[in-house]
């Protein structure tokens, strides 16, 4: 039976190997209302110059 493309061929026992991305939403009360922590993508990368919530992947 063919394996789905999101299952790593070396995974045994049907271990799920889809990457997990985590976003951090940091909110605080500022002098002019709520403030949200954002970062700006820099360099020659996807969506360079755009603002986004800090994120990263999780190693399981």
């Amino acid at each position: 039976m063919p394996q789905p493309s999101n299952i790593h061929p070396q995974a045994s026992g049907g271990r799920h190997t889809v990457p997990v991305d985590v976003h951090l939403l940091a909110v605080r009360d500022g002098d002019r209302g709520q403030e949200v922590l954002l970062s700006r993508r820099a360099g020659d990368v996807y969506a360079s110059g755009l603002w986004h919530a800090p994120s990263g992947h999780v190693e399981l």
Side-chain angles (χ1 to χ4, degrees):
M1 176 186 287
Q3 293 288 322
S5 62
N6 63 344
I7 301 295
H8 192 280
Q10 294 179 347
S12 62
R15 182 177 175 193
H16 197 67
T17 61
V18 175
V20 177
D21 190 39
V22 177
H23 293 267
L24 172 71
L25 296 178
V27 181
R28 71 177 182 183
D29 291 325
D31 294 336
R32 295 183 289 169
Q34 289 188 330
E35 299 175 339
V36 178
L37 176 65
L38 296 175
S39 60
R40 193 168 190 180
R41 294 185 60 91
D44 189 22
V45 296
Y46 170 76
S48 179
L50 298 180
W51 294 94
H52 67 99
S55 65
H57 69 276
V58 176
E59 299 282 341
L60 300 176

